[in-house]
Amino acid sequence: MIKVNSLVVKIVGVILAVVGLLLLLFGVITWNKQVMATGFIACLIAVTLLYYGWRMGPAKESGSTDAGAGLKQKI
C-alpha cells in the first residue's frame, strides 16, 4: 500500500485550488460555462483534498509496522 504524507495532500490541494480559482475567473471573464464548470469541480476536489490532509494530521514516525505496536503493555 502506498503511504501518502498529509503535507503532499495539502500541497496538491492548494495547487488545485489556485488552478480552479484561475479557471473560474477566466470562465467568468470570457463567459465560458464549460471553463467555469471545470474550475468549480477543481475547487470542490481541492477542498476535499485539503480536508482529507487536515484530518490525516502530521505523520507519526514509527519504526514498526506491526498492528499492535502502538499499544502499551503493562508488565
Side-chain angles (χ1 to χ4, degrees):
M1 183 158 191
I2 299 173
K3 289 186 179 182
V4 179
N5 192 357
S6 66
L7 183 62
V8 174
V9 174
K10 289 177 186 176
I11 290 173
V12 170
V14 168
I15 291 172
L16 192 59
V18 169
V19 169
L21 290 174
L22 288 174
L23 281 171
L24 272 173
L25 180 65
F26 182 72
V28 168
I29 290 172
T30 61
W31 201 249
N32 188 342
K33 291 182 181 178
Q34 184 176 1
V35 175
M36 284 191 283
T38 304
F40 178 72
I41 296 300
C43 288
L44 284 180
I45 294 170
V47 167
T48 304
L49 285 174
L50 288 172
Y51 178 73
Y52 179 68
W54 174 69
R55 292 288 292 174
M56 283 176 66
K60 294 180 181 178
E61 305 250 346
S62 176
S64 176
T65 58
D66 191 17
L71 302 176
K72 293 183 180 178
Q73 296 179 352
K74 293 183 180 179
I75 299 176

